Amino acid sequence: MDARTAVALSAVAYDPDIVRALSGTLPTWRIVWIADKPVDDNMAFIARDPGGAYALAIRGTMMQFAAANVANWIEDLDVLSQVSWPDGDQESKLSGGAYKGLTGLQALTDSRGGTPLSMRDYLIGRAHEEALNLTITGHSLGGTLATVYAVWLHDELAAASVNATLSVWTFAAPAAGNTSFAARYDALFGASSYRCVMDFDVVPTFPVPDDMIAMMHTYVASPASDDTLRLTGLSVREWAYGIKGTEWLHGSRYAQTNTPTGSIRVDDAAAPKPPVTTLDAWLQTIASRHSVQNYVQAVAALAPNAPLAP
């Protein structure tokens, strides 16, 4: 799958009418599984193209990016707690929010056939019938959960003794877990995983404290200006140091995936750029930089021979 198709599917996942949106955006694709309703605000669908390739698109957080809810977005990830990977691997840890998101995705069902069917059971069923070629994609929190679900699904497919070709495209995704989880993910998907980030998008730096602080310095005229960039009472710097404290408490540092291959950087020339020195300007800029529609436009604007995976 190419980046343009993956980001389009990620954008469709946000639409209140996914079936209509997919038909209008990618008319050759058809829905083969769609959740009856969100679980803990998690939503996803599976589509198939005429060539037999499948895509699982996971919705990101449904909210407007503004001062009143940035902290809610961070809490949605619950980065101040960490949970061991569900198979008993004590080294690999997820943020509390990423773990909650995984359980939400596991609980989604499609009842259109009469009997509620989970994504896992649908995909394992397809893998028993055909050579399953699946791309998992998502934007923002959807991208974070794409990395988590990909690892879990890989393990479930192996336990069911079926084979599948899995790849992952994420856009603007924060880190899901610690260095051990990132290493586990990269070992499984390093050659078939692509992480796209837009220049000056703050969100993908969460919750890696050093990355957060470095990005903050690109936005403000001086370190003192950080005092004006507050998320419900805490500055960006204070959030970063709070997460550092959490890492110390758990003995486990957050880390991004795709370290061996690096991120694919995209840019929207029309979006505002730093430096900014007021909270309103900061929020307007990161809202534009993080918008899924701006990711769609930025990826579509790339030259046909841009260094994106086929």
Side-chain angles (χ1 to χ4, degrees), residues 37-283:
K37 60 182 179 180
V39 174
D40 293 332
D41 205 33
N42 295 286
M43 185 63 182
F45 71 91
I46 301 172
R48 185 178 187 272
D49 77 356
Y54 290 82
L56 162 57
I58 301 172
R59 189 178 77 183
T61 304
M62 292 290 288
M63 59 187 290
Q64 297 297 314
F65 212 99
N69 54 31
V70 171
N72 290 336
W73 177 86
I74 297 173
E75 290 165 8
D76 197 19
L77 270 179
D78 182 11
V79 297
L80 300 183
S81 66
Q82 294 186 357
V83 180
S84 295
W85 185 253
D87 69 358
D89 175 4
Q90 296 299 308
E91 296 299 319
S92 295
K93 297 182 185 296
L94 302 176
S95 70
Y99 180 79
K100 180 182 178 182
L102 173 61
T103 61
L105 293 175
Q106 292 167 337
L108 294 176
T109 56
D110 181 351
S111 300
R112 294 176 303 162
T115 302
L117 184 66
S118 70
M119 289 193 292
R120 171 202 176 276
D121 290 347
Y122 174 82
L123 292 167
I124 287 178
R126 296 317 308 154
H128 276 297
E129 298 293 330
E130 61 183 289
L132 181 66
N133 179 4
L134 174 70
T135 298
I136 305 174
T137 188
H139 166 267
S140 192
L141 180 60
T144 300
L145 296 181
T147 65
V148 176
Y149 195 82
V151 175
W152 181 79
L153 180 63
H154 171 274
D155 294 348
E156 292 295 300
L157 291 166
S161 300
V162 292
N163 294 318
T165 300
L166 302 181
S167 60
V168 184
W169 276 98
T170 69
F171 302 88
N178 68 352
T179 53
S180 293
F181 170 77
R184 179 176 183 173
Y185 174 88
D186 288 339
L188 290 174
F189 301 105
S192 56
S193 172
Y194 312 97
R195 177 177 182 260
C196 288
V197 296
M198 188 174 294
D199 288 340
F200 304 113
D201 185 357
V202 172
V203 175
T205 69
F206 286 96
V208 183
D210 292 343
D211 291 351
M212 293 167 61
I213 293 172
M215 180 64 76
M216 179 271 294
H217 278 292
T218 70
Y219 268 80
V220 298
S222 67
S225 299
D226 179 50
D227 293 335
T228 68
L229 305 181
R230 291 186 169 270
L231 313 179
T232 61
L234 294 177
S235 70
V236 175
R237 189 189 305 276
E238 288 164 341
W239 269 106
Y241 285 128
I243 294 170
K244 275 185 176 288
T246 296
E247 293 179 332
W248 175 83
L249 179 66
H250 292 280
S252 173
R253 293 189 300 109
Y254 284 108
Q256 261 298 355
T257 60
N258 298 79
T259 298
T261 56
S263 299
I264 299 169
R265 306 201 68 85
V266 297
D267 192 23
D268 181 355
K273 292 183 173 63
V276 294
T277 57
T278 67
L279 179 60
D280 284 346
W282 187 73
L283 289 171

